Structure formats: structure tokens, C-alpha cells
Amino acid sequence: MIQFQYERASTAKAAVSALANNAKIIAGGTNLVDLMKRNVMAPAKLIDINSLPLRSIEQQNGKMIIGALALNSQVADDKLVLEKHPLLSKALNAGASAQIRNMATVGGNMMQRTRCSYFYDTALPCNKREPGSGCGALEGVNRMHAIFGTSDKCIAVHPSDMCVALVALDAIVVVSGPKGERRIPFDDFHRLPGSQPEKDNTLQKDELIISVEIPDNTFSKNCHYFKVRDRTSYAFALVSVAAALDLDGKNIKEARLAMGGVAHKPWRLKEAEKALAGKPATEETFRQAAEIAMQGAKAFKHNAFKLKLGPNVIVEALKNAAGLV
Amino acid sequence: MDKYKSDIKPEKEDHHESRRDFLKTSSILTAIAVAPATVAKAAEYNLGEKISAAFETTPVNLTVNGVKKQLAVEPRSTLLDVLREQLDLTGTKKGCDYGQCGACTVHVNGQRVLSCLSLAVMQEGKQVTTIEGLAKGDELHPMQKAFIKHDGFQCGYCTPGQIMSGIACINEGHADSKEDIKEFMSGNICRCGAYPNIVKAIQEVKNGGQRS
Ligand SMILES: Cc1cc2nc3c(=O)[nH]c(=O)nc-3n(C[C@H](O)[C@H](O)[C@H](O)COP(=O)(O)OP(=O)(O)OC[C@H]3O[C@@H](n4cnc5c(N)ncnc54)[C@H](O)[C@@H]3O)c2cc1C
Ligand code: FES
Ligand code: FES
């Protein structure tokens, strides 16, 4: 790891002005320290934001407000979260390990970089790490890679589990910059690679994530996070699905569906949601929705299995959410 | 190795501003500047980056296994390296050094964390407990006893991390069932595959009431 300058920010304002001066924020450090050790990222200055008062989880005016520094384990075990948004708790507990969740923050989780092995290996080309160097994964080993929204510049996936639940729950990201606060719908926070894969999201360089808000909903009874990975635990998703249903007896009033491990961003499945609304909660309905969800998917040499796995994971997640298993 | 080193292409960051410039401008921050006097001196005397970097240590106060420590650490030093290299507490193991194995698990303020991904400079004022801090004199911690009784290891390399993690797993309330233990202990890899016995050891401590 190269040497860097370290400072502690005592106010959000100080952190924002440090960002404007090219500093990088460190929260839990579980992603940044890893990438700095590997020389994938080499910021000259780190601003430690851990003393900012951004750790609380509160319910206010029809929404839950989760501070950017709330720990992944704290959120997963929080009584209010378990009661109102169990989907978020399930997704968090499906990610990383207990030790990492004790360090990782909500803001850091959103900002974590891809686990694409070409991004991680500084001897290989990667447009995300070094724009213009090419995408090694496109013609290389791409088993873990995206099937939706790829470009000829990048086929990496966003690795977060938490974000899959948050996009399904219509969360809002509250960020603070030099000009004040800005609220970003979760689906607009992360972006597709297009011609600028170096940009993971729409947060500006001088903006700080302050909190995430989740509006009240009617999905707490029937939701499930289903994650398929190479081992039972402590591995990134091959495919994961967050499913939430608002049931009226056996009928689906409203559905929320999002996928992880398939795109450069948590992948919301709005068309499939529409197809579920008003239908009976049966395996047949779920199959049809899964088919719609997979429209437009495009595989590469080693990840064609995701085209088959994807719909199966959607159906399993929905069955679990509906209590059919 | 050198060949690879010269090939290293970190992600493009704006490096145009030198560390020295940063030190000069950092007064605009209302942040607590923890750059020590030595660094400022190095900058003043126009010493090269390399030399000033060597001086760049920051004071950190920690309590390790109940003993207060005043340390000077480089910002890039991990808690794991400081424990092992500076404090000679080699019970905490370095397995992968990248957060993937759990061998380096310690408790910070009572919570299990990975010391290989923790910067020591960020632990100011914290209470750190390592495997060396569990026994009371010759009296082993119940979890240590249970690992011995149930043969919770073969080579023993992952064991300090497993024991620290196991204690926390119970304290967190994540050891109610075998399934829970397996899930919440998944951050500790054992290459020897002692998992069934590790689970038994944790179950025994859980059922016998724990001492933290
Ligand atoms: C072995 C391993 C396995 C893992 N498995 C999984 C998994 O299965 N699923 C999963 O979802 N994740 C997994 N993770 C990733 C983990 O969830 C992330 O590393 C973690 O969430 C990052 O949070 P942090 O607070 O540690 O971020 P940091 O490392 O501190 O920061 C990460 C990035 O976020 C930026 N940042 C942090 N906070 C803010 C803020 N408030 N505003 C703006 N920018 C900010 C930082 O500048 C940095 O660029 C795994 C990690 C490891 C090491
Ligand atoms: S050495 Fe820290 S997790 Fe492997
Ligand atoms: S006992 Fe050998 S690695 Fe676990």
C-alpha cells in the first residue's frame, strides 16, 4: 500500500470540502483497504468519517431513515428494520461475513466496487480501473459477469446484496455536497457502464452520502431474499433475487422484484412486477413473470448458466415470499 | 516481482496535488489534522517524498488486552500488522490479509472485526482484545477449553480467529442453533476442515453459559 495522508472529519461539511480537495472517504474500510493493498485504488488522502453522527436508524413521518454510517450488522439486527423491512435484513445477512458486517457501513456498501477479477488485477486491462485500457472480461473469464445492461466497454456486476433490497424497496439516497443536499431515487444512484465504466454511480466526487430513506410499505409479511453462490455462505452472488409481495388472500396486489449479480447496478424488474400485480400467487404466475424478467438478457462465454439460473431464482424467491414452500 | 511492480496501474486518481501542498491547504478543514509535527518538518525542510513518508507516523492510543498503549503508527499500517509486528502479539494470525479467511479476527470494543482490513490509526481510543487476552492467568477461557475438548482444530492456524469469532457469535445471539452457528461462523475458514468440532465447541459454551 502506498503511503497516504490521514485525517478525521469532525463535521459533514469538513468531509465535503475535503472531498472537493481530492480526498477519499473511508468508513468501514472493508472495501477501500482491500483495494489499496492491491494498488487498485491509491488515494493520496483519506478522510475518516467515523466520528460523524450518521449511525442512527429512525422512523419519521412515514419513512425509515438509516444513517450512512450505520453498520451492516446493526441494520440487519435492528428491531425496527426487522419489523418494517425484513427484506433488507435478509439481504444484509446474505452478504459477506459477520466480522465484515460489523465493520461495513451502509454508505460504504453502496459505494463498494465491483469484484471483477480484471478490475482487481493491475497487470490486466480494465476500463473501470484504467479507462481506455480495454475490458479483459469481455473475451476472458466472465463467469461472474453481467447479463443485463452491458456495454462493449464493461460487463462487470455491482456486488452488493443490500442494494438489491434497497432498490426493491424504493429507497431514496440523501447526499450532501457543496451546494447542499440532494435526494436520489435508489434506482438512479447506480448506473450502467455505457462508455464510462469508471463511473459506478451518479454520486459526484464532492458529495457525501448522509442517509438512506425507506418509505413505509406493505411488504413486510411476504418478502424473501434468495441468493445463489458457489458456497453456502461468505461468497458473492452468482444470482440473487429480492422479492416482496403485498397479498390479498391468494391474490397479488402489488409486487417488488430486483436481481443482484446480473448487472452493473442492482437490477429492478418493473415489467415483471407489473405482470405479477392482480394475479393469483401461484408458481405459474411466478414462472410467467420470470420469463418477462429475463427478456433482453445476454450471456457471454462463461455465464450462459445465468440465463437458466436467473428465472429459477426468481421463482424460488417469489414462492418463498408467498409462503408456498 | 519488479516487473509486476512497474506494471502496476492504480485506478486514476488526481495526484497532481502533492502531499506537501495538501499539508499547506489542509488548514481549510475543520477536521482534526492528525499529521504529526515530524511530517510538517519534513515538508518544511524540503525532504523528498520518500524520506518524509518514512517519518510519517501518527500517534494512536489503544487499550490492548486491558493494557493502555501509546503507539506511533503509519496511517497505512493495519491493526493486524501493529499487533503482530509492533506489539509482538503473534497469536492473531495473518491468513489471506484481504478479508477472506477470518484468521485475523479480534474484538474491537467487544465486536468481532477483521484486523487485516482495519487501519490501526482508525482505532484511536478503542479497546482491542486478542486471543492472548482471553485467559485469566492459567485459567483458559471456556471457549479455549471447549476447542481443546472437542478437537476444534488440526493445524491450529485458523484457531485464534475461530475462538474470537465463536465468543462473539454467542454474545451476538447468533448461536441458537447449529444452522445459525454455521451461518454466522462462515467468515472463519478452516483449511483442515475442523468445522463439525468447532460447531460442537461453540454449542457447548453456549449451552454451558459463557464468560465474556
Ligand atoms: C471477503 C469479502 C466478502 C464480501 N462479500 C460480500 C457479499 O457477499 N455481499 C455484499 O454485498 N458485500 C460483500 N462484501 C463487501 C462489503 O459489503 C463491503 O466491503 C462493505 O459494505 C463496504 O463498506 P465499508 O463501510 O467498509 O466501505 P469502505 O471500504 O470504507 O468504503 C468503500 C467506498 O465507499 C466510499 N464511501 C464510504 N462511505 C461513504 C459515504 N458516506 N459517502 C460517500 N462515499 C462513501 C469510500 O470512499 C470508498 O470508496 C465483501 C467484502 C469482503 C472483503
Ligand atoms: S487475514 Fe484477515 S481475513 Fe484473512
Ligand atoms: S485447524 Fe488448520 S486451518 Fe483450521
Side-chain angles (χ1 to χ4, degrees):
Chain A
M1 204 190 302
I2 66 152
Q3 193 58 286
F4 53 84
Q5 185 72 38
Y6 169 84
E7 300 209 5
R8 297 185 191 115
S10 51
T11 64
K13 214 172 162 199
V16 168
S17 57
L19 281 172
N21 280 293
N22 288 316
K24 191 103 196 146
I25 278 168
I26 185 159
T30 59
N31 191 225
L32 193 51
V33 173
D34 181 19
L35 291 168
M36 286 170 68
K37 281 186 179 185
R38 299 172 195 264
N39 274 309
V40 174
M41 291 175 84
K45 305 139 205 171
L46 284 192
I47 299 294
D48 180 350
I49 58 167
N50 281 287
S51 46
L52 303 186
L54 302 173
R55 283 190 202 278
S56 64
I57 303 173
E58 286 161 28
Q59 179 70 23
Q60 259 177 36
N61 310 325
K63 62 192 178 196
M64 182 176 288
I65 305 169
I66 304 177
L69 285 172
L71 298 175
N72 285 188
S73 55
Q74 174 198 349
V75 179
D77 283 345
D78 186 83
K79 275 211 181 83
L80 212 54
V81 173
L82 282 165
E83 178 199 320
K84 293 195 157 266
H85 308 295
L87 182 65
L88 175 59
S89 173
K90 288 175 204 220
L92 279 164
N93 275 332
S97 69
Q99 290 94 314
I100 293 170
R101 295 193 294 270
N102 271 344
M103 305 167 72
T105 63
V106 165
N109 192 315
M110 291 169 56
M111 295 297 287
Q112 65 174 303
R113 311 300 308 268
T114 184
R115 310 302 284 204
C116 171
S117 45
Y118 296 88
F119 177 71
Y120 263 77
D121 191 334
T122 53
L124 297 175
C126 169
N127 285 325
K128 189 180 273 302
R129 176 172 29 81
E130 203 193 345
S133 63
C135 171
L138 209 53
E139 304 281 323
V141 180
N142 46 35
R143 183 171 171 273
M144 299 299 289
H145 291 73
I147 53 173
F148 289 112
T150 55
S151 78
D152 60 356
K153 299 279 186 292
C154 179
I155 61 171
V157 300
H158 192 261
S160 168
D161 291 295
M162 177 192 82
C163 293
V164 182
L166 286 176
V167 79
L169 295 173
D170 270 344
I172 302 275
V173 188
V174 182
V175 307
S176 175
K179 287 183 225 125
E181 278 195 3
R182 194 160 76 87
R183 300 161 62 80
I184 311 168
F186 209 88
D187 203 18
D188 297 335
F189 185 81
H190 296 94
R191 59 186 291 284
L192 290 176
S195 58
Q196 284 186 300
E198 69 275 16
K199 287 192 174 154
D200 294 350
N201 52 55
T202 53
L203 190 76
Q204 300 301 307
K205 268 202 136 179
D206 51 4
E207 286 178 322
L208 176 76
I209 302 171
I210 298 293
S211 63
V212 172
E213 297 178 356
I214 311 177
D216 282 356
N217 61 50
T218 44
F219 299 111
S220 60
K221 271 204 209 99
N222 292 98
C223 60
H224 194 67
Y225 189 75
F226 192 55
K227 179 178 178 185
V228 175
R229 41 195 153 169
D230 282 329
R231 55 184 182 199
T232 335
S233 184
Y234 200 17
F236 288 95
L238 292 166
V239 173
S240 68
V241 169
L245 297 170
D246 181 1
L247 293 179
D248 181 5
K250 289 209 163 105
N251 272 334
I252 304 167
K253 278 204 285 193
E254 200 189 336
R256 296 282 177 80
L257 209 54
M259 263 175 134
V262 295
H264 196 259
K265 58 186 283 191
W267 194 245
R268 180 84 182 261
L269 299 165
K270 286 207 167 148
E271 291 305 313
E273 290 173 6
K274 275 187 217 149
L276 288 163
K279 304 258 172 61
T282 62
E283 178 154 357
E284 202 193 327
T285 306
F286 299 158
R287 260 300 142 208
Q288 284 163 2
E291 223 165 88
I292 292 169
M294 295 305 291
Q295 279 169 13
K298 176 183 152 226
F300 296 86
K301 191 169 176 194
H302 303 108
N303 69 353
F305 72 95
K306 289 192 182 182
L307 301 181
K308 276 194 184 165
L309 184 61
N312 288 341
V313 180
I314 292 175
V315 172
E316 277 311 301
L318 284 166
K319 276 166 71 180
N320 272 285
L324 298 185
V325 284
Chain B
M1 281 313 283
D2 277 339
K3 177 184 166 287
Y4 290 111
K5 265 200 185 126
S6 61
D7 278 351
I8 285 176
K9 293 172 189 134
E11 190 191 43
K12 289 263 183 297
E13 294 281 344
D14 295 301
H15 276 297
H16 54 265
E17 203 192 355
S18 78
R19 174 166 295 118
R20 214 153 32 238
D21 287 342
F22 180 64
L23 281 172
K24 281 186 202 143
T25 57
S26 61
S27 56
I28 60 153
L29 285 173
T30 54
I32 316 156
V34 290
T38 41
V39 188
K41 269 237 167 74
E44 210 174 286
Y45 292 130
N46 275 346
L47 293 180
E49 279 286 300
K50 270 197 188 130
I51 304 171
S52 69
F55 286 163
E56 249 174 82
T57 58
T58 297
V60 176
N61 300 292
L62 311 170
T63 304
V64 181
N65 298 330
V67 182
K68 284 211 164 112
K69 304 275 179 190
Q70 278 191 319
L71 302 169
V73 302
E74 284 190 355
R76 64 180 164 182
S77 298
T78 60
L79 177 59
L80 174 61
D81 285 342
V82 167
L83 288 171
R84 290 182 56 88
E85 313 292 334
Q86 258 176 277
L87 296 173
D88 242 356
L89 291 168
T90 52
T92 306
K93 300 300 177 211
K94 184 183 279 191
C96 62
D97 210 22
Y98 293 111
Q100 299 180 348
C101 74
C104 66
T105 304
V106 299
H107 296 178
V108 171
N109 288 355
Q111 304 293 310
R112 53 174 158 168
V113 298
L114 299 177
S115 58
C116 74
L117 292 183
S118 304
L119 294 177
V121 73
M122 290 171 70
Q123 313 307 315
E124 174 66 35
K126 303 254 170 88
Q127 305 264 347
V128 179
T129 308
T130 69
I131 189 78
E132 288 93 341
L134 293 183
K136 300 268 185 278
D138 284 342
E139 177 74 10
L140 291 181
H141 186 283
M143 191 64 81
Q144 292 174 305
K145 286 187 193 162
F147 266 66
I148 294 170
K149 178 175 164 195
H150 291 281
D151 242 346
F153 49 82
Q154 284 184 40
C155 78
Y157 198 82
C158 71
T159 314
Q162 300 279 5
I163 289 176
M164 297 313 288
S165 200
I167 293 168
C169 187
I170 294 175
N171 289 343
E172 289 161 9
H174 292 141
D176 288 343
S177 65
K178 203 171 153 180
E179 289 65 40
D180 260 13
I181 295 174
K182 283 166 130 181
E183 176 57 43
F184 285 89
M185 286 297 290
S186 70
N188 294 82
I189 308 285
C190 174
R191 295 302 282 192
C192 299
Y195 299 113
N197 295 353
I198 293 170
V199 173
K200 274 184 208 151
I202 294 172
Q203 277 181 309
E204 171 165 305
V205 178
K206 156 85 187 163
N207 296 333
Q210 88 269 13
R211 187 193 87 190
S212 47

